[in-house]
Amino acid sequence: GELASNGSEHSNIISPVYSLWATFIGLYMANYVVERSTGWALTHPLTISEYETLKKLLKPDFEDMVPWYSGTSTDLFKTVFDLMISVTLFVGRFDMRMMQAAMNKTPDESKSSDLLYDHLDGKDELWFDFIADTGDGGNSTYAIARLLAQPSLVVKSDDSRLIFPRGELLLIGGDLAYPNPCSFTYERRFFCPFEYALQPPAWYTPDHIALEKPELPLGVSELRQYSGPQCFMIPGNHDWFDGLNTFMRYVCHKSWLGGWFLPQKRSYFALKLPNGWWVFGLDQALHGDIDVYQFKFFAELCQQKVGEHDSVILITHEPNWLLDWYWGDKTGKNVTYLIREYLKGRCKLRMAGDLHHYMRHSCTESKEPVHVQHLLVNGCGGAFLHPTHVFENFKECYGNKYETKAVYPSYEDSSKIALGNILKFRRKNWQFDVIGGFVYFVLVFSMFPQCDSFRILHEDSWDGRVNSFFNATWNAIFEILEHSYVSLAGVLTLLTVSFFFVPTKLSRRRRALLGFLHAAAHITSAVLLMLLMELGIEICIRNHLLATSGYHTLYEWYRQAESEHFPDPTGLRARLEQWTFGLYPACIKYLMSAFDIPEVMAVTRSTICRKGIESLPRGGAIIYYVSVFLYFWVLSTPVVSMVFGSYLYVCINWFHIHFDEAFSSLRIANYKAFTRFHIKKSGDLEVFTLAVDKVPKEWMLDPDWDMEPKEPLQMSHTRRFPSKWRAASGWSDPTSVVRVVDQFVIPRTAVDPLLPDSAP
């Protein structure tokens, strides 16, 4: 703000612009002082340490969903760096799985107790669960963990009530924590929610390293005797970003995930389950495939252990069948060869995560050999939601035809959710402003100032003014291309990034067209905003709301008012100036100038328009562009988000591309699900997928958990109420709103009584 003035004349009336600015600063400072004094005393009567301890008792300290579009997150920069290193070093050069194979003490891996677990084989029936893609937001991960931990779940299905006992076995399909594998993400995003849902034993210490697994609880002599829930997991691509180091430390050398026992020693495994059922957990690393050592283990297992009439559930992290169809690629060739040549129709179900939704496809009747009967994707364990409608036309895999049996969320809901990119992108990704505002400023940096912008308003009619405004826009764009340096470099960089940002699923011509339109929308928006800002400054100057007489007119007004209303007959101010070596008035003078950014822009802009940018000293030019950047950044950031969000919406719903980018931006914690299996005494496999449409955001201490008596060495899985937190609103608790979104049965392979089983 500036003294209202004409030319170089001063006035005793302060500018309305500065009044607004000063009022805002004053209110902010007053609010800060009140909050830190009375507010803290009223809301925090305890010491800080006592308050933090009490806070943990009253509500869980969950992590928020990962801000994938944050321009300030060190975690995301580390993720990019780790990914570059992993792709360069581990893909094709070094593989942790080779080290695992080299360290194996058993020459015949098919008989290795490090890889093959048969302790569950003797049961008459078995309940077990599958989830994938955990460790994003604490609310969503805990909601699923709470459901998994309950001794039983009662779910209404149509007119009946289904009772599901807790799974004795939990299978996790990779991507345990986001955005990168490290101690913080594994402990805070993955282990913490599961420990709240089902507490580890009293003797458990987080720093303990298991040297010889399985480290059985007291009173249990062998793994077969342990009756509590157990967990096995495979790593996903995010777990491989550090070369599997964190996964090995927290999974293969730990004995507990909350109250789930971890017997697992390697990153892949085989489980022999009751009634002829097997689970193969494969580690695809960053290759999207298994290595030769892993292939040898499972191939020999198929030949030596898996019976001719047994049934196999195959777990991989990536759903190659969907992704290969989507990208027009062929990956996982070793996995495909294992399924075709060694399992030979015994693979009844293939499961994966990676895509954070639920989809099931079943093979249609065919005369051709069926290699896999059912294909199931369930990555709803806690990560942000992925769309389903972009995979609507998938129909074929392994030479067999498949039909869609269930999707969650529905295709229609998935398409509607994408609209949030237009309406909510900035609210969900406010950190993106750091990048967006800077990019827009670079695009128009060379165009400041527009000295003749006021000519736009010289037209008599509004139509003429609008036409003049858009003509000025096109002229500015051509001026960028013909005369600028910094802005031209920004435009060329934006065009290049926009082209490579378009997925390779489209042809090069379409990528070029879509990238050009995307970049053009940003460039045009930046130029329009630049002209609006310049026009606004010019209007303020011409209406005497801003003056151009000098940088310190506000200080001059202050000194004039001070001398009029606070006379100094003793010369105290002069002595203060002498005692402080001139710092007393200088500090006030430059502080007022620093807060008076509109004055800086107006004065410097007028100087540039009269004498040219060369007339300014380097410091003056820097101050001018910093002042312009601050205001232009505030003006441009909502528009950047609107343009980018609209681009994502158009791409996901019209071209079915950017399914990852368009939904990671929304950070949707809802639509979470897990799959519960039941191997019946008859050998049939019942499959139920249970889902929660809306995840609670507020939790409270569960009074039932708090009041239940707890013995010192009691295992948490024996408690009636094992989970510490429940939803603040009882009606929205996951245990109350969980529902079945899919169910089917896989019959046991019929055995011809006249033919003996070929299994050894």
Side-chain angles (χ1 to χ4, degrees), residues 453-662:
S453 58
F454 197 73
R455 75 179 191 279
I456 296 172
L457 300 181
H458 288 170
E459 301 291 337
D460 295 331
S461 64
W462 278 106
D463 290 341
R465 292 171 182 173
V466 171
N467 290 333
S468 179
F469 182 81
F470 282 105
N471 287 335
T473 302
W474 288 117
N475 292 336
I477 292 175
F478 283 114
E479 187 176 351
I480 290 174
L481 300 177
E482 293 178 357
H483 302 292
S484 69
Y485 294 99
V486 176
S487 295
L488 179 60
V491 167
L492 294 177
T493 302
L494 180 61
L495 286 169
T496 304
V497 171
S498 297
F499 169 76
F500 285 105
F501 184 63
V502 180
T504 55
K505 177 179 174 65
L506 299 182
S507 65
R508 181 166 296 185
R509 180 179 299 179
R510 289 189 175 185
R511 290 178 67 198
L513 178 60
L514 194 56
F516 172 78
L517 292 175
H518 183 201
H522 284 297
I523 295 168
T524 304
S525 298
V527 173
L528 287 172
L529 292 171
M530 181 271 297
L531 288 175
L532 285 173
M533 180 173 167
E534 285 291 288
L535 194 58
I537 294 175
E538 185 69 26
I539 291 174
C540 287
I541 292 174
R542 291 177 179 265
N543 286 276
H544 311 301
L545 298 176
L546 290 174
T548 58
S549 56
Y551 292 115
H552 304 295
T553 50
L554 177 62
Y555 175 71
E556 293 171 3
W557 170 85
Y558 162 75
R559 292 301 296 265
Q560 181 180 355
E562 184 184 47
S563 62
E564 290 181 1
H565 300 287
F566 301 96
D568 184 22
T570 62
L572 178 61
R573 282 193 288 268
R575 288 197 297 272
L576 284 175
E577 182 176 351
Q578 181 180 1
W579 294 340
T580 60
F581 302 98
L583 291 178
Y584 156 63
C587 289
I588 297 177
K589 178 179 180 180
Y590 288 103
L591 185 63
M592 286 186 170
S593 179
F595 277 104
D596 201 4
I597 296 177
E599 178 193 64
V600 173
M601 287 193 297
V603 172
T604 311
R605 181 179 182 277
S606 299
T607 302
I608 295 174
C609 290
R610 290 197 311 269
K611 302 178 182 180
I613 188 68
E614 299 82 5
S615 63
L616 289 180
R618 181 174 299 176
I622 292 175
I623 292 174
Y624 169 69
Y625 283 113
V626 169
S627 302
V628 170
F629 170 74
L630 293 176
Y631 272 79
F632 186 76
W633 185 86
V634 173
L635 185 65
S636 63
T637 47
V639 179
V640 181
S641 298
M642 177 66 73
V643 173
F644 189 71
S646 300
Y647 165 78
L648 292 178
Y649 172 76
V650 169
C651 287
I652 191 65
N653 276 357
W654 292 11
F655 302 103
H656 287 181
I657 59 174
H658 288 309
F659 69 86
D660 208 12
E661 295 84 353

Side-chain angles (χ1 to χ4, degrees), residues 7 58 82 97 142 152 163 190 231 360 421 487 570 584 649 706 730 734-736:
L58 296 177
D82 286 346
R97 297 174 300 184
Y142 177 73
S152 64
I163 301 177
F190 179 51
C231 179
R360 176 172 68 91
N421 277 293
S487 295
T570 62
Y584 156 63
Y649 172 76
D706 191 34
T735 58
S736 302

Side-chain angles (χ1 to χ4, degrees), residues 3-22:
L3 294 174
S5 62
N6 298 319
S8 60
E9 296 180 2
H10 302 292
S11 171
N12 293 329
I13 304 175
I14 194 166
S15 164
V17 174
Y18 178 75
S19 297
L20 291 174
W21 178 265

